[in-house]
Amino acid sequence: KDANGCAVSPDQYTVSYKGNTNAGKAQAVVTFTGEKISGNKTLNFVIGKAGQKMTVKTVKKTVKRSAVKKKAKSFKAAQVFTVKNSKGAVSYRKAGGDQKLGISSSGKVKVKKGIKKGTHKMTVKVTANGNGNYKSMAKKVTVTVVVK
């Protein structure tokens, strides 16, 4: 609108942007080019961080009882988890479940020695820390280990 509160026709101005490709402060610069109106107007605004669309899937692991009778067995994160569309560093934390199962912050799943035959489960919280443009996000998944 002009100084009198009247709408300004789109053919009497152009809009350009500065710093609007990432989260943070940005500007819109309106340049007036009409006969009755001229000059520039800078408008400041903030672009917020976007949410993530991370997905996490797990694969059931099977171990023989004889392999964990006297020593622990471990699985690398890539053998158990498929994490897609994460932004920032990914970390893992046990959120509940069988005491004979454990996990490191890097996602290494540990089956402790002496675990009994059967199906064992633990809940794991998988967190992507986010970055300059994306918020952090966490998902809980269930890891299943079958001891035969």
Side-chain angles (χ1 to χ4, degrees):
K1 294 185 178 187
D2 65 13
N4 297 323
C6 297
V8 177
S9 175
D11 64 345
Q12 295 186 31
Y13 65 89
T14 60
V15 180
S16 61
Y17 296 92
K18 293 181 181 177
N20 70 325
T21 56
N22 293 311
K25 294 179 182 177
Q27 294 180 331
V29 179
V30 181
T31 303
F32 297 98
T33 58
E35 292 177 19
K36 296 180 182 177
I37 188 168
S38 64
N40 295 317
K41 176 71 176 174
T42 300
L43 304 165
N44 297 311
F45 62 97
V46 176
I47 299 171
K49 289 185 177 187
Q52 294 195 43
K53 296 180 181 176
M54 175 179 71
T55 60
V56 183
K57 292 183 180 179
T58 61
V59 175
K60 179 169 52 174
K61 300 308 290 181
T62 302
V63 295
K64 291 186 177 184
R65 170 76 171 106
S66 60
V68 290
K69 190 173 184 177
K70 294 187 179 180
K71 67 177 191 172
K73 168 90 173 143
S74 295
F75 297 100
K76 294 180 182 177
Q79 295 174 298
V80 181
F81 300 95
T82 302
V83 180
K84 293 184 179 178
N85 301 316
S86 62
K87 307 294 183 192
V90 176
S91 61
Y92 304 81
R93 184 177 61 80
K94 185 173 180 177
D98 197 305
Q99 291 183 0
K100 289 286 187 173
L101 299 176
I103 191 159
S104 71
S105 61
S106 63
K108 188 175 186 180
V109 174
K110 184 176 182 181
V111 181
K112 296 179 181 176
K113 73 177 182 178
I115 194 168
K116 304 289 185 205
K117 285 185 179 183
T119 301
H120 303 271
K121 295 182 180 187
M122 77 171 157
T123 303
V124 175
K125 183 177 180 181
V126 181
T127 304
N129 289 338
N131 58 27
N133 289 319
Y134 290 91
K135 298 175 184 176
S136 65
M137 178 183 188
K139 287 204 171 205
K140 287 186 178 179
V141 293
T142 301
V143 173
T144 303
V145 176
V146 178
V147 180
K148 290 186 171 190

